[in-house]
Amino acid sequence: MEFLSYLISGISLGSVYAIIALGYTMVYGIAKMLNFAHGDVIMIGGYVSYYAMNAFGLPWYVALPVSMVVCGVLGIVIEKLAYKPLRNAPSLAVLITAIGVSYFLQNVALLVFGADPKTYSNPFQSLNADGTINQGISLFGGSLSITYVSLVTIASCVIIMLALTFFTQKTKMGKAMRACSEDKGAAQLMGINVNRTISLTFAIGSCLAAVAGVLLCSSYTLIQPTTGSMPGIRAFTAAVFGGIGSIPGAFLGGLLIGIIESLAKAYVSTQLSNSIVFAVLIVVLLVRPAGLLGKYVPEKV
């Protein structure tokens, strides 16, 4: 039963990583850019929802859309100011810019919100008849407990993955995104507005970061300016693990990274869990350089 509990915890954690990784893979798949500031957009989303619920008294189902709108606009601004001028620049210049944007967002948050961690109240809980807090449901006579935030996180991840798959495969804008991913020049000749398509991609990725920020802070109940750093790195690892540019790959990679991390903490060592995750990533990339579901595309010269 302990193994099942750790497994569910890993799936819940992996679902958060998968939602973040979907944002990474959307941006990379269409714009061919690695947005390392994505983790800090998660932090901004967490702070926006925190103040929306605590300072303005909004319920979580209102605070979440507010956070998504703010992060979506922030994603568009970042793309316009930082990444659009470097669209034809070497990849190293884009990478350095992304790291700079990441540190800029962290320091702005430090100045605006302060360095002290803030307690993020878990909105996915209810009160029992005796006034005690009910955080989840119990199964198998109480030997297994699943929190509501875990159920919401897993369900949200599955719904988002299916919605993104439908969007990219069936809608006009989704087909425009896939066309830009294949060849921006040819897409522009066919009448597709490449700039608008890339901006929308950044907006969608940033909205997903806001969702991940709310779910992450609800699970760990603390938020500070560096909250999104390590989850962002792990989610990028998950995107590479599953095959960056692939929506199902990001979903699968996130779940596997979360499960591996959870089981490593439980059965090996808390200190070595990160090492084990990255060791597994190295082994997988040695066997499949494009990731589990990624496709190797030879470069034409």
Side-chain angles (χ1 to χ4, degrees):
M1 199 61 67
E2 283 187 359
F3 174 80
L4 189 58
S5 177
Y6 294 139
L7 182 63
I8 293 173
S9 176
I11 293 174
S12 175
L13 178 62
S15 296
V16 176
Y17 292 160
I19 294 173
I20 305 170
L22 286 169
Y24 271 117
T25 208
M26 285 283 292
V27 171
Y28 181 81
I30 281 68
K32 295 295 183 289
M33 292 179 178
L34 293 175
N35 180 22
F36 280 113
H38 193 64
D40 300 287
V41 178
I42 298 168
M43 173 266 298
I44 297 296
Y47 270 116
V48 171
S49 61
Y50 169 83
Y51 282 103
M53 289 188 291
N54 289 274
F56 297 98
L58 298 177
W60 70 268
Y61 50 83
V62 177
L64 177 59
V66 170
S67 178
M68 291 174 68
V69 170
V70 172
C71 288
V73 173
L74 177 63
I76 294 173
V77 171
I78 291 173
E79 191 274 328
K80 293 292 185 186
L81 297 181
Y83 297 136
K84 185 178 178 181
L86 301 175
R87 203 166 286 171
N88 297 319
S91 56
L92 181 60
V94 179
L95 177 62
I96 294 172
T97 301
I99 295 173
V101 173
S102 173
Y103 281 113
F104 174 78
L105 291 177
Q106 286 185 26
N107 283 277
V108 168
L110 188 65
L111 291 172
V112 174
F113 305 119
D116 295 333
K118 293 177 173 55
T119 302
Y120 193 100
S121 58
N122 182 2
F124 307 107
Q125 57 190 15
S126 59
L127 291 176
N128 293 317
D130 57 358
T132 58
I133 296 176
N134 179 18
Q135 294 187 339
I137 58 175
S138 298
L139 301 173
F140 304 108
S143 57
L144 177 65
S145 180
I146 305 176
T147 61
Y148 291 131
V149 67
S150 294
L151 294 175
V152 171
T153 301
I154 295 169
S156 299
C157 180
V158 174
I159 292 171
I160 288 171
M161 193 274 292
L162 294 175
L164 277 180
T165 302
F166 176 82
F167 176 77
T168 55
Q169 296 293 328
K170 301 298 182 181
T171 66
K172 184 178 179 180
M173 183 54 70
K175 293 176 182 178
M177 287 180 176
R178 289 193 287 128
C180 290
S181 175
E182 291 291 333
D183 191 325
K184 294 183 181 63
Q188 193 166 15
L189 290 174
M190 296 300 294
I192 295 173
N193 190 327
V194 174
N195 291 329
R196 186 178 65 182
T197 302
I198 293 177
S199 294
L200 179 63
T201 303
F202 270 83
I204 292 174
S206 298
C207 288
L208 295 182
V211 175
V214 172
L215 295 174
L216 183 69
C217 294
S218 298
S219 297
Y220 294 97
T221 66
L222 283 178
I223 183 169
Q224 54 189 350
T226 57
T227 291
S229 298
M230 280 308 297
I233 293 173
R234 292 193 183 101
F236 174 70
T237 303
V240 175
F241 187 78
I244 193 163
S246 167
I247 291 176
F251 174 76
L252 177 63
L255 291 184
L256 291 177
I257 291 294
I259 291 171
I260 292 169
E261 182 180 339
S262 179
L263 295 181
K265 286 180 178 178
Y267 294 108
V268 182
S269 169
T270 303
Q271 288 78 15
L272 293 176
S273 60
N274 286 334
S275 301
I276 293 171
V277 167
F278 288 109
V280 171
L281 173 67
I282 292 170
V283 171
V284 169
L285 292 182
L286 287 173
V287 178
R288 289 188 60 85
L292 294 176
L293 300 183
K295 296 180 180 179
Y296 173 72
V297 180
E299 185 177 351
K300 297 179 180 179
V301 294

